[in-house]
Amino acid sequence: DAGVIQSPRHEVTEMGQEVTLRCKPISGHDYLFWYRQTMMRGLELLIYFNNNVPIDDSGMPEDRFSAKMPNASFSTLKIQPSEPRDSAVYFCASSFGDGGEAFFGQGTRLTVV
Amino acid sequence: GENVEQHPSTLSVQEGDSAVIKCTYSDSASNYFPWYKQELGKRPQLIIDIRSNVGEKKDQRIAVTLNKTAKHFSLHITETQPEDSAVYFCAASGYSTLTFGKGTMLLVSP
């Protein structure tokens, strides 16, 4: 397996634009997590899915953020409209079973200007 | 929810010295404690983990200890090498999600 795959690796967008980040988890994993990493706040959990169902989205900062997982091999994180304070590295991770090792994707570095 | 505190935030050692990073957690239901290493510009990667039924675990130069009564766990790296320089994150998990500490930047000088 190629591991968790995220796209794009880098995204630069203007304030107000819609941004969509994509993630393909490791085949067979039943948990998918979206994290945001900044210098100030570290690694923050935004939302996680179990068997494609959103379980906890309490970490999603605002209504501008939304996430979907239409099937077991694909998830998106959308920001609309984007703001400069959304600039961060966004990681997707997947794991198998409750308490299994979380494998991270390469991350998407988002810059909102 | 779970809260994980990690210390120190930065740690500088000479090559060959030992390094110790400490974490505390708040939720007594947490039972899985992994440590991740993140090199500059790369993804976090698991280096070692421990579960609540074990007090200590070793893997070559790396060891982790867990004290469930005090709710703290530590990472020990012996004979440090320049390639150990990175940011290290501890995490705690009680059910399905990992709560991460803020990270420790370890710098190993030759």
Side-chain angles (χ1 to χ4, degrees), chain A residues 6-7 21-24 32-36 44-49 60 67-68 75-78 90-93 108:
Chain A
Q6 292 185 244
S7 64
L21 312 182
R22 297 172 175 80
C23 176
K24 181 181 187 312
L32 184 139
F33 310 87
W34 283 100
Y35 286 90
R36 179 172 66 176
E44 301 174 277
L45 178 67
L46 301 178
I47 185 172
Y48 81 95
F49 297 82
M60 297 285 258
K68 293 181 180 179
S75 177
T76 59
L77 178 68
K78 186 176 292 187
Y90 290 81
F91 285 103
C92 174
T108 294

Tab-separated table of all heavy atoms in Angstrom, chain A residues 6-7 21-24 32-36 44-49 60 67-68 75-78 90-93 108:
chain	number	residue	atom	x	y	z
A	6	GLN	N	-2.471	12.330	0.268
A	6	GLN	CA	-3.179	13.600	0.317
A	6	GLN	C	-2.855	14.431	-0.918
A	6	GLN	O	-1.752	14.365	-1.455
A	6	GLN	CB	-2.782	14.402	1.565
A	6	GLN	CG	-3.253	13.805	2.873
A	6	GLN	CD	-2.944	14.708	4.042
A	6	GLN	OE1	-2.159	14.339	4.922
A	6	GLN	NE2	-3.567	15.889	4.079
A	7	SER	N	-3.829	15.218	-1.315
A	7	SER	CA	-3.593	16.172	-2.399
A	7	SER	C	-4.427	17.420	-2.183
A	7	SER	O	-5.504	17.358	-1.559
A	7	SER	CB	-3.938	15.529	-3.757
A	7	SER	OG	-5.318	15.223	-3.819
A	21	LEU	N	-9.392	20.006	0.239
A	21	LEU	CA	-8.265	19.115	0.478
A	21	LEU	C	-8.764	17.672	0.383
A	21	LEU	O	-9.876	17.370	0.844
A	21	LEU	CB	-7.661	19.373	1.867
A	21	LEU	CG	-7.377	20.832	2.226
A	21	LEU	CD1	-6.749	20.924	3.603
A	21	LEU	CD2	-6.515	21.499	1.182
A	22	ARG	N	-7.927	16.810	-0.162
A	22	ARG	CA	-8.359	15.445	-0.428
A	22	ARG	C	-7.471	14.425	0.265
A	22	ARG	O	-6.280	14.658	0.472
A	22	ARG	CB	-8.367	15.191	-1.937
A	22	ARG	CG	-9.352	16.075	-2.684
A	22	ARG	CD	-9.227	15.951	-4.195
A	22	ARG	NE	-10.259	16.718	-4.880
A	22	ARG	CZ	-10.216	18.026	-5.083
A	22	ARG	NH1	-9.180	18.729	-4.655
A	22	ARG	NH2	-11.208	18.633	-5.709
A	23	CYS	N	-8.073	13.295	0.586
A	23	CYS	CA	-7.347	12.253	1.300
A	23	CYS	C	-7.818	10.878	0.883
A	23	CYS	O	-9.033	10.613	0.793
A	23	CYS	CB	-7.534	12.407	2.810
A	23	CYS	SG	-6.773	11.092	3.801
A	24	LYS	N	-6.856	9.997	0.641
A	24	LYS	CA	-7.147	8.580	0.387
A	24	LYS	C	-6.503	7.779	1.509
A	24	LYS	O	-5.274	7.736	1.611
A	24	LYS	CB	-6.580	8.161	-0.957
A	24	LYS	CG	-6.851	6.713	-1.335
A	24	LYS	CD	-6.221	6.377	-2.675
A	24	LYS	CE	-6.586	4.999	-3.194
A	24	LYS	NZ	-6.452	3.913	-2.236
A	32	LEU	N	-10.663	7.449	9.958
A	32	LEU	CA	-9.978	8.512	9.229
A	32	LEU	C	-10.060	9.791	10.047
A	32	LEU	O	-11.130	10.128	10.574
A	32	LEU	CB	-10.599	8.723	7.835
A	32	LEU	CG	-9.884	9.753	6.967
A	32	LEU	CD1	-9.801	9.277	5.517
A	32	LEU	CD2	-10.521	11.122	7.048
A	33	PHE	N	-8.927	10.468	10.153
A	33	PHE	CA	-8.812	11.667	10.974
A	33	PHE	C	-8.288	12.832	10.129
A	33	PHE	O	-7.422	12.647	9.287
A	33	PHE	CB	-7.827	11.443	12.129
A	33	PHE	CG	-8.078	10.193	12.934
A	33	PHE	CD1	-7.525	8.978	12.557
A	33	PHE	CD2	-8.862	10.237	14.077
A	33	PHE	CE1	-7.749	7.823	13.299
A	33	PHE	CE2	-9.091	9.090	14.826
A	33	PHE	CZ	-8.529	7.882	14.438
A	34	TRP	N	-8.799	14.008	10.399
A	34	TRP	CA	-8.233	15.235	9.842
A	34	TRP	C	-7.642	16.057	10.994
A	34	TRP	O	-8.335	16.351	11.982
A	34	TRP	CB	-9.295	16.065	9.124
A	34	TRP	CG	-9.669	15.571	7.765
A	34	TRP	CD1	-10.757	14.828	7.413
A	34	TRP	CD2	-8.944	15.804	6.550
A	34	TRP	NE1	-10.752	14.585	6.062
A	34	TRP	CE2	-9.666	15.174	5.511
A	34	TRP	CE3	-7.771	16.491	6.233
A	34	TRP	CZ2	-9.239	15.209	4.182
A	34	TRP	CZ3	-7.348	16.515	4.917
A	34	TRP	CH2	-8.076	15.888	3.910
A	35	TYR	N	-6.348	16.408	10.845
A	35	TYR	CA	-5.658	17.237	11.828
A	35	TYR	C	-5.175	18.523	11.159
A	35	TYR	O	-4.902	18.553	9.970
A	35	TYR	CB	-4.424	16.517	12.394
A	35	TYR	CG	-4.714	15.399	13.361
A	35	TYR	CD1	-4.883	14.098	12.921
A	35	TYR	CD2	-4.801	15.655	14.731
A	35	TYR	CE1	-5.138	13.072	13.819
A	35	TYR	CE2	-5.048	14.628	15.635
A	35	TYR	CZ	-5.211	13.341	15.173
A	35	TYR	OH	-5.456	12.320	16.064
A	36	ARG	N	-5.039	19.556	11.965
A	36	ARG	CA	-4.447	20.813	11.511
A	36	ARG	C	-3.224	21.089	12.386
A	36	ARG	O	-3.308	20.940	13.620
A	36	ARG	CB	-5.451	21.958	11.639
A	36	ARG	CG	-4.918	23.305	11.205
A	36	ARG	CD	-5.992	24.365	11.169
A	36	ARG	NE	-6.540	24.698	12.475
A	36	ARG	CZ	-7.444	25.657	12.680
A	36	ARG	NH1	-7.905	26.348	11.654
A	36	ARG	NH2	-7.899	25.896	13.893
A	44	GLU	N	-3.968	19.642	16.023
A	44	GLU	CA	-5.340	19.681	16.531
A	44	GLU	C	-6.209	18.740	15.696
A	44	GLU	O	-6.194	18.810	14.471
A	44	GLU	CB	-5.943	21.074	16.362
A	44	GLU	CG	-5.235	22.205	17.039
A	44	GLU	CD	-5.892	23.517	16.651
A	44	GLU	OE1	-5.564	24.049	15.561
A	44	GLU	OE2	-6.756	24.011	17.410
A	45	LEU	N	-7.003	17.935	16.389
A	45	LEU	CA	-7.953	17.077	15.693
A	45	LEU	C	-9.162	17.912	15.269
A	45	LEU	O	-9.790	18.570	16.089
A	45	LEU	CB	-8.409	15.940	16.595
A	45	LEU	CG	-9.451	15.001	15.999
A	45	LEU	CD1	-8.878	14.207	14.840
A	45	LEU	CD2	-9.997	14.066	17.068
A	46	LEU	N	-9.479	17.868	13.981
A	46	LEU	CA	-10.632	18.610	13.479
A	46	LEU	C	-11.886	17.745	13.473
A	46	LEU	O	-12.939	18.150	13.968
A	46	LEU	CB	-10.348	19.117	12.055
A	46	LEU	CG	-9.144	20.043	11.894
A	46	LEU	CD1	-8.962	20.409	10.427
A	46	LEU	CD2	-9.309	21.287	12.736
A	47	ILE	N	-11.758	16.543	12.912
A	47	ILE	CA	-12.906	15.654	12.772
A	47	ILE	C	-12.392	14.254	12.543
A	47	ILE	O	-11.284	14.077	12.050
A	47	ILE	CB	-13.810	16.099	11.598
A	47	ILE	CG1	-15.087	15.247	11.503
A	47	ILE	CG2	-13.038	16.051	10.273
A	47	ILE	CD1	-16.094	15.776	10.474
A	48	TYR	N	-13.191	13.249	12.939
A	48	TYR	CA	-12.820	11.904	12.548
A	48	TYR	C	-14.036	11.088	12.138
A	48	TYR	O	-15.167	11.363	12.558
A	48	TYR	CB	-11.983	11.196	13.626
A	48	TYR	CG	-12.734	10.577	14.780
A	48	TYR	CD1	-13.081	9.232	14.769
A	48	TYR	CD2	-13.024	11.328	15.916
A	48	TYR	CE1	-13.719	8.654	15.853
A	48	TYR	CE2	-13.666	10.753	16.999
A	48	TYR	CZ	-14.006	9.415	16.972
A	48	TYR	OH	-14.640	8.834	18.050
A	49	PHE	N	-13.797	10.113	11.296
A	49	PHE	CA	-14.822	9.228	10.747
A	49	PHE	C	-14.519	7.786	11.159
A	49	PHE	O	-13.354	7.389	11.267
A	49	PHE	CB	-14.822	9.279	9.207
A	49	PHE	CG	-15.164	10.612	8.620
A	49	PHE	CD1	-14.198	11.607	8.498
A	49	PHE	CD2	-16.450	10.877	8.168
A	49	PHE	CE1	-14.505	12.836	7.942
A	49	PHE	CE2	-16.760	12.111	7.604
A	49	PHE	CZ	-15.787	13.091	7.498
A	60	MET	N	-13.793	21.090	14.606
A	60	MET	CA	-13.935	21.943	13.430
A	60	MET	C	-14.132	23.372	13.908
A	60	MET	O	-15.088	23.662	14.646
A	60	MET	CB	-15.124	21.491	12.585
A	60	MET	CG	-14.956	20.094	12.031
A	60	MET	SD	-13.808	20.045	10.663
A	60	MET	CE	-14.974	19.962	9.302
A	67	ALA	N	-16.416	18.540	6.227
A	67	ALA	CA	-15.696	17.342	5.782
A	67	ALA	C	-16.697	16.271	5.413
A	67	ALA	O	-17.766	16.165	6.003
A	67	ALA	CB	-14.761	16.832	6.870
A	68	LYS	N	-16.303	15.492	4.414
A	68	LYS	CA	-17.144	14.392	3.960
A	68	LYS	C	-16.302	13.157	3.730
A	68	LYS	O	-15.089	13.241	3.496
A	68	LYS	CB	-17.844	14.773	2.647
A	68	LYS	CG	-18.863	15.882	2.760
A	68	LYS	CD	-19.512	16.156	1.414
A	68	LYS	CE	-20.540	17.279	1.525
A	68	LYS	NZ	-21.172	17.582	0.211
A	75	SER	N	-11.860	11.022	1.236
A	75	SER	CA	-12.432	12.025	2.133
A	75	SER	C	-11.986	13.402	1.672
A	75	SER	O	-10.916	13.552	1.072
A	75	SER	CB	-11.983	11.798	3.577
A	75	SER	OG	-12.480	12.805	4.443
A	76	THR	N	-12.809	14.391	1.933
A	76	THR	CA	-12.470	15.775	1.614
A	76	THR	C	-12.673	16.661	2.826
A	76	THR	O	-13.540	16.414	3.669
A	76	THR	CB	-13.329	16.321	0.466
A	76	THR	OG1	-14.706	16.249	0.844
A	76	THR	CG2	-13.104	15.551	-0.820
A	77	LEU	N	-11.854	17.683	2.902
A	77	LEU	CA	-12.009	18.754	3.886
A	77	LEU	C	-12.128	20.050	3.095
A	77	LEU	O	-11.251	20.367	2.305
A	77	LEU	CB	-10.805	18.811	4.827
A	77	LEU	CG	-10.820	19.913	5.881
A	77	LEU	CD1	-11.916	19.677	6.913
A	77	LEU	CD2	-9.459	20.008	6.590
A	78	LYS	N	-13.223	20.747	3.316
A	78	LYS	CA	-13.480	21.944	2.534
A	78	LYS	C	-13.527	23.162	3.442
A	78	LYS	O	-14.082	23.109	4.555
A	78	LYS	CB	-14.809	21.797	1.779
A	78	LYS	CG	-15.125	22.909	0.811
A	78	LYS	CD	-16.410	22.630	0.044
A	78	LYS	CE	-16.258	21.462	-0.894
A	78	LYS	NZ	-17.449	21.266	-1.771
A	90	TYR	N	-2.371	20.739	6.906
A	90	TYR	CA	-3.509	19.865	7.215
A	90	TYR	C	-3.094	18.421	6.933
A	90	TYR	O	-2.678	18.089	5.827
A	90	TYR	CB	-4.724	20.257	6.382
A	90	TYR	CG	-5.301	21.591	6.803
A	90	TYR	CD1	-4.733	22.787	6.363
A	90	TYR	CD2	-6.395	21.660	7.665
A	90	TYR	CE1	-5.237	24.014	6.772
A	90	TYR	CE2	-6.909	22.890	8.074
A	90	TYR	CZ	-6.313	24.054	7.628
A	90	TYR	OH	-6.822	25.267	8.037
A	91	PHE	N	-3.213	17.602	7.966
A	91	PHE	CA	-2.869	16.190	7.831
A	91	PHE	C	-4.120	15.323	7.884
A	91	PHE	O	-5.030	15.563	8.682
A	91	PHE	CB	-1.946	15.742	8.970
A	91	PHE	CG	-0.521	16.204	8.842
A	91	PHE	CD1	-0.050	17.265	9.603
A	91	PHE	CD2	0.356	15.560	7.979
A	91	PHE	CE1	1.267	17.691	9.497
A	91	PHE	CE2	1.682	15.980	7.860
A	91	PHE	CZ	2.135	17.045	8.620
A	92	CYS	N	-4.112	14.322	7.055
A	92	CYS	CA	-5.091	13.258	7.131
A	92	CYS	C	-4.368	12.035	7.682
A	92	CYS	O	-3.193	11.808	7.369
A	92	CYS	CB	-5.650	12.985	5.731
A	92	CYS	SG	-6.747	11.578	5.613
A	93	ALA	N	-5.045	11.267	8.516
A	93	ALA	CA	-4.461	10.040	9.060
A	93	ALA	C	-5.525	8.955	9.055
A	93	ALA	O	-6.726	9.245	9.125
A	93	ALA	CB	-3.934	10.262	10.477
A	108	THR	N	-1.031	18.679	3.578
A	108	THR	CA	-1.243	19.751	2.593
A	108	THR	C	-0.906	21.060	3.288
A	108	THR	O	-1.502	21.389	4.315
A	108	THR	CB	-2.704	19.803	2.115
A	108	THR	OG1	-3.009	18.617	1.389
A	108	THR	CG2	-2.927	21.024	1.221
